[in-house]
Amino acid sequence: MRKNKKLILAAAAVALLAIVMVVIFALTRPQAVQGAKTFTVEVVHSDGGAKTFTYHTDAEYLGEVLLAEGLIAGEDGQFGLYITTVDGEPAVYEEDGAYWALYEGEDYAQQGVDKTPVLDGGAFSLVYTVG
C-alpha cells in the first residue's frame, strides 16, 4: 500500500512539473507580430560566399515569406518545414551530412522556419552546414 502511494505521488509530481513547463514555454516563446515589417536574411553558401536579402512583409512567420519569395524550398516533416534548398543551392544530408542551419541574429533558431516569427528589424541567417 505504501509503495502504491509513493508511485501515485511521484506520478502526480511529474505531471505537475510537465504542466508547469508547458505553461512557461507558452508564456515565454516569441510571439508573431501583425503589421508591416522589414527584415534581412543572410545566406551563406557552401563556398563561403554570402548574399543578403531584405524583405518587407505583413506575414507573421519567416517560412511564409521565404517560400513565397522563392528563396527556399523544402519538405514538410514531423517537425515542420525541412529546408532542402536555399537560393538555388541544395543541401542533401543523405549524401554528405549537409543541411541549412537557421540562425536568428547570432543564435541558432529555437524553432523551424515555419514557426519562427518575423519581427520588424529582424536579422536571420541561413548557413550551409556540414556535420
Side-chain angles (χ1 to χ4, degrees):
M1 207 55 170
R2 250 186 205 181
K3 193 173 188 179
N4 286 344
K5 268 189 172 179
K6 286 183 181 180
L7 286 174
I8 291 171
L9 286 173
V14 168
L16 181 62
L17 181 61
I19 291 169
V20 168
M21 290 175 67
V22 167
V23 169
I24 289 171
F25 174 76
L27 294 175
T28 60
R29 72 179 178 181
Q31 298 296 315
V33 176
Q34 293 182 346
K37 298 168 277 292
T38 300
F39 67 94
T40 60
V41 177
E42 180 183 39
V43 175
V44 180
H45 287 276
S46 60
D47 64 2
K51 292 182 188 176
T52 301
F53 299 85
T54 300
Y55 296 104
H56 307 282
T57 185
D58 289 334
E60 294 181 16
Y61 295 98
L62 184 61
E64 300 174 58
V65 179
L66 301 185
L67 284 168
E69 294 292 331
L71 184 64
I72 66 169
E75 302 168 355
D76 286 322
Q78 66 183 17
F79 301 111
L81 181 67
Y82 177 73
I83 300 171
T84 57
T85 304
V86 175
D87 194 28
E89 182 175 8
V92 184
Y93 188 83
E94 295 77 16
E95 288 180 8
D96 58 2
Y99 65 96
W100 286 101
L102 173 62
Y103 290 86
E104 203 169 343
E106 298 293 318
D107 301 320
Y108 199 78
Q110 298 299 308
Q111 302 178 85
V113 69
D114 51 347
K115 301 266 194 255
T116 299
V118 174
L119 302 175
D120 190 39
F124 302 94
S125 299
L126 288 164
V127 180
Y128 186 94
T129 305
V130 178

